[in-house]
């Protein structure tokens, strides 16, 4: 995942991890996202349950998740160009919260769709393909992470954010035809 590489480097070089005279280890920053996932997954489950048939379609959830992911990347831009340990821990936690919201619009929805849209005899294989897509995305993010440096972070975060937003908007524009192809699966 991009967070394991770029956020670790960013946290080591740019993040002010001091809390009342104590310095949080870099590795602990990786725990922020999973804590948000644990806390917010119940909130999202309750929200989708409460909305029932009024909840957005799966393509719209994907579009929102992709767009929000792009916004999260762009949230790094005001912090770009700061010196060592110039980014407040709370700022990075806020950005990771936005990434978590995006992730919760993408990952559980994708996993659910992989079984709902699969032919009956191939549910397991479709889940495996879903996880393969996650693995490929993780490998790609590792490849993209090599382009990150403190000198290029404005371009790095700006381009990733812009691309994600454009893809999210394109997916939103294509949501109706995609929904029709899904044959009534929401």
């Amino acid at each position: 995942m991009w967070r394991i590489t770029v956020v670790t480097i960013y946290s080591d070089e740019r993040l002010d991890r001091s809390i009342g005279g104590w310095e949080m280890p870099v590795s602990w920053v990786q725990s922020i996202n999973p804590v948000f996932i644990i806390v917010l997954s119940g909130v999202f489950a309750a929200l989708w349950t409460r909305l029932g048939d009024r909840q957005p379609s799966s393509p719209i959830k994907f579009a929102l998740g992709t767009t929000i992911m792009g916004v999260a990347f762009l949230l790094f831009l005001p912090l770009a160009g700061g010196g060592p340990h110039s980014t407040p821990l709370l700022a990075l936690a806020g950005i990771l919260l936005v990434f978590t919201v995006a992730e919760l619009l993408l990952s559980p929805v994708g996993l659910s769709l992989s079984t709902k849209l699969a032919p009956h005899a191939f549910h397991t294989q479709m889940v495996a393909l879903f996880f393969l897509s996650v693995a490929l995305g993780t490998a790609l993010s590792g490849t993209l992470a090599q382009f990150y440096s403190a000198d290029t972070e404005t371009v790095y975060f700006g381009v990733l954010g812009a691309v994600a937003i454009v893809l999210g908007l394109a997916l939103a524009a294509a949501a109706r035809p995609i929904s029709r192809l899904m044959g009534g699966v929401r």
Side-chain angles (χ1 to χ4, degrees), residues 77-89:
L77 293 180
L79 306 170
H85 310 292
S86 62
T87 301
L89 180 59

Side-chain angles (χ1 to χ4, degrees), residues 3-85:
R3 289 184 304 273
I4 293 173
T5 54
V6 172
V7 170
T8 302
I9 295 166
Y10 190 90
S11 298
D12 187 38
E13 297 174 358
R14 308 297 300 281
L15 188 63
D16 178 9
R17 299 183 320 274
S18 298
I19 303 172
W22 173 77
E23 187 166 313
M24 173 192 285
V26 174
S27 59
W28 287 21
V29 175
Q30 295 300 324
S31 300
I32 296 171
N33 175 254
V35 168
F36 283 148
I37 289 173
I38 291 167
V39 170
L40 292 178
S41 60
V43 172
F44 272 76
L47 176 67
W48 302 142
T49 301
R50 184 167 176 86
L51 288 175
D53 290 338
R54 297 173 302 159
Q55 68 180 283
S57 67
S58 295
I60 292 296
K61 289 178 187 174
F62 267 92
L64 285 170
T66 305
T67 303
I68 292 169
M69 188 73 65
V71 168
F73 277 113
L74 295 181
L75 289 174
F76 277 103
L77 293 180
L79 306 170
H85 310 292

Side-chain angles (χ1 to χ4, degrees), residues 66-111:
T66 305
T67 303
I68 292 169
M69 188 73 65
V71 168
F73 277 113
L74 295 181
L75 289 174
F76 277 103
L77 293 180
L79 306 170
H85 310 292
S86 62
T87 301
L89 180 59
L90 193 56
L92 184 61
I95 292 169
L96 290 175
L97 176 63
V98 176
F99 274 116
T100 302
V101 168
E103 186 175 346
L104 288 172
L105 286 165
L106 294 168
S107 185
V109 176
L111 188 57

Side-chain angles (χ1 to χ4, degrees), residues 136-162:
L136 291 172
T138 302
L140 178 61
S141 71
T143 301
L144 290 175
Q146 66 186 324
F147 296 108
Y148 172 79
S149 74
D151 297 333
T152 62
E153 69 184 5
T154 301
V155 173
Y156 181 82
F157 291 126
V159 169
L160 288 178

